[in-house]
């Protein structure tokens, strides 16, 4: 037993990856980040900027936007308006940080984050959307989904957690499901946060070696390291088949978390006509960072 435990502790998690036609070894347990990742991470996926947004500029702009979000919440409470914003993206895309930047200064009684765990045995026997319906907003509430029903469009088919038939059925049903949400007069936002492959590897490595972030790195992340292309295929199919006039996808380039967060919030605020709205404080959405639908990633 002791020898088995020792072997488990020292078991290598190094994997060989195909990066742009080149074989690269990535050992996430090595505390030194490989040079080829460090040099390529920020510019990966043809990111349009060469460096991060200045921290002071980011914080000053974020404060202005968060003041607008507080106005938005007060307007919701006065009018009863309901808002859903769901955040999707690959692991380490920055969904949680974007949600925190959006909701961090709001009244938590009226701004709720939903991050469901895997379905229970009972839930697996129900209609797929059933457990999500119970989490939707009541009057005056903002609900932010840290992953959503779109698990069935990405991680589930890639990792074999659903059948091809279930995946196909989901893609057919979801536009009708979301049409009902919009017809219920719920303001509905869908965000796909996109990152490059080297940036994802860098963030995984950062998580592995940061004691405050290690909990974010799951066995599923390691298992998916060689499934980048599979996830890309499923992402493209999802965007193509579920980007509709009623419920469009907003795609956010996320290699720079600061720009991603600011422009995501700007997009939401610009689409809502709330009392006391300050357009100058909101500013203009950066069309290099945010676009609509699958065409933005081409």
């Amino acid at each position: 037993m002791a020898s088995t435990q020792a072997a488990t502790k020292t078991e290598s998690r190094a994997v060989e990856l195909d990066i742009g036609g080149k074989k690269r070894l990535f050992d996430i347990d090595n505390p030194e980040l490989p040079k080829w990742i460090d040099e390529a991470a920020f510019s990966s996926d043809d990111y349009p900027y060469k460096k991060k947004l200045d921290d002071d500029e980011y914080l000053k702009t974020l404060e202005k936007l968060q003041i607008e979000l507080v106005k938005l919440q007060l307007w919701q409470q006065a009018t009863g308006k309901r808002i859903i914003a769901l955040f999707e993206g690959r692991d380490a895309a920055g969904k949680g940080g974007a949600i925190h930047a959006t909701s961090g200064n709001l009244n938590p009684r009226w701004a709720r984050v939903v991050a469901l765990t895997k379905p229970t045995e009972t839930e697996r026997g129900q209609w797929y959307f059933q457990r999500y319906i119970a989490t939707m907003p009541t009057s005056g509430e903002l609900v932010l989904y840290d992953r959503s029903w779109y698990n069935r469009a990405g991680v589930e088919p890639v990792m074999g957690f659903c059948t091809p038939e279930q995946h196909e059925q989901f893609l057919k049903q979801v536009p009708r499901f979301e049409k009902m949400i919009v017809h219920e007069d719920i303001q509905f936002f869908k965000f796909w946060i996109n990152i490059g492959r080297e940036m994802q590897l860098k963030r995984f490595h950062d998580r592995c070696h940061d004691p405050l972030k290690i909990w974010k790195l799951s066995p599923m992340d390691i298992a998916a390291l060689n499934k980048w292309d599979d996830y890309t295929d499923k992402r493209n199919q999802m965007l193509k088949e579920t980007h509709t006039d009623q419920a469009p996808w907003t795609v956010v380039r996320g290699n720079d978390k600061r720009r991603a967060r600011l422009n995501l919030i700007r997009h939401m605020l610009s689409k809502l006509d709330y009392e006391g709205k300050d357009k100058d404080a909101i500013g203009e959405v950066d069309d290099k960072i945010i676009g609509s639908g699958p065409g933005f990633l081409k």
Side-chain angles (χ1 to χ4, degrees):
M1 178 67 72
S3 61
T4 301
Q5 290 176 341
T8 300
K9 288 181 180 179
T10 59
E11 184 178 349
S12 174
R13 293 192 291 177
V15 294
E16 187 177 67
L17 304 175
D18 187 341
I19 309 288
K22 293 183 179 180
K23 299 296 182 182
R24 298 283 197 177
L25 185 66
F26 176 55
D27 183 359
I28 196 168
D29 294 312
N30 186 335
E32 184 176 347
L33 181 68
K35 185 177 180 180
W36 62 269
I37 293 179
D38 192 38
E39 291 178 346
F42 196 77
S43 62
S44 59
D45 194 47
D46 297 322
Y47 194 71
Y49 290 96
K50 294 183 178 180
K51 61 180 181 179
K52 290 181 180 179
L53 183 67
D54 177 75
D55 189 50
D56 287 341
E57 181 181 351
Y58 167 68
L59 292 174
K60 289 177 183 177
T61 306
L62 180 61
E63 182 179 17
K64 293 178 182 178
L65 294 175
Q66 288 176 332
I67 290 171
E68 292 301 302
L69 286 166
V70 171
K71 294 180 187 177
L72 173 65
Q73 186 175 57
L74 293 173
W75 169 77
Q76 279 189 261
Q77 293 170 356
T79 61
K81 292 294 184 181
R82 296 168 290 173
I83 301 174
I84 288 176
L86 63 84
F87 296 73
E88 290 288 347
R90 300 179 193 266
D91 294 318
K95 300 179 291 296
I99 289 171
H100 179 71
T102 304
S103 63
N105 285 287
L106 298 180
N107 184 339
R109 294 183 179 180
W110 298 97
R112 178 164 47 90
V113 178
V114 174
L116 298 184
T117 58
K118 66 181 182 180
T120 64
E121 184 177 350
T122 297
E123 290 169 337
R124 287 196 296 270
Q126 297 172 343
W127 180 43
Y128 180 75
F129 296 98
Q130 189 166 334
R131 70 184 188 135
Y132 291 101
I133 292 172
T135 68
M136 290 188 176
T138 189
S139 176
E141 193 175 27
L142 166 65
V143 175
L144 306 102
Y145 286 87
D146 188 348
R147 293 197 181 277
S148 66
W149 44 91
Y150 280 101
N151 280 335
R152 181 141 290 182
V155 63
E156 289 191 21
V158 170
M159 302 304 295
F161 298 150
C162 71
T163 66
E165 291 76 20
Q166 288 173 323
H167 175 231
E168 181 180 358
Q169 183 182 43
F170 170 82
L171 292 175
K172 290 179 180 178
Q173 287 185 346
V174 73
R176 299 196 292 271
F177 174 67
E178 292 176 349
K179 188 174 182 180
M180 287 191 291
I181 293 173
V182 175
H183 283 188
E184 181 61 20
D185 197 27
I186 297 175
Q187 298 287 336
F188 185 40
F189 296 93
K190 298 193 301 188
F191 294 107
W192 173 268
I193 303 178
N194 206 69
I195 55 171
R197 190 172 193 185
E198 289 87 352
M199 179 55 77
Q200 185 190 52
L201 294 173
K202 182 180 186 302
R203 291 181 184 175
F204 281 168
H205 187 271
D206 291 346
R207 290 177 176 185
C208 185
H209 298 281
D210 185 337
L212 295 177
K213 296 180 180 179
I214 187 64
W215 63 270
K216 292 184 176 183
L217 187 69
S218 72
M220 190 71 65
D221 296 334
I222 305 301
L225 283 174
N226 274 313
K227 296 183 181 294
W228 178 270
D229 291 340
D230 292 339
Y231 272 103
T232 299
D233 290 342
K234 292 298 185 291
R235 176 204 68 188
N236 293 345
Q237 184 180 8
M238 177 196 76
L239 292 176
K240 179 181 177 182
E241 298 192 27
T242 64
H243 176 70
T244 64
D245 291 340
Q246 295 86 6
W249 277 103
T250 299
V251 178
V252 186
R253 294 193 183 276
N255 281 4
D256 181 359
K257 294 179 180 180
R258 296 168 183 172
R259 286 188 173 92
R261 294 168 186 171
L262 295 181
N263 283 283
L264 186 152
I265 296 171
R266 280 185 179 123
H267 175 81
M268 285 185 61
L269 293 171
S270 67
K271 297 294 183 181
L272 297 166
D273 190 18
Y274 55 92
E275 186 175 354
K277 182 174 181 177
D278 185 342
K279 293 183 179 180
D280 290 335
I282 296 170
E284 297 292 329
V285 171
D286 185 345
D287 60 10
K288 293 180 181 179
I289 299 298
I290 277 195
S292 181
F296 186 62
L297 292 177
K298 293 179 179 178

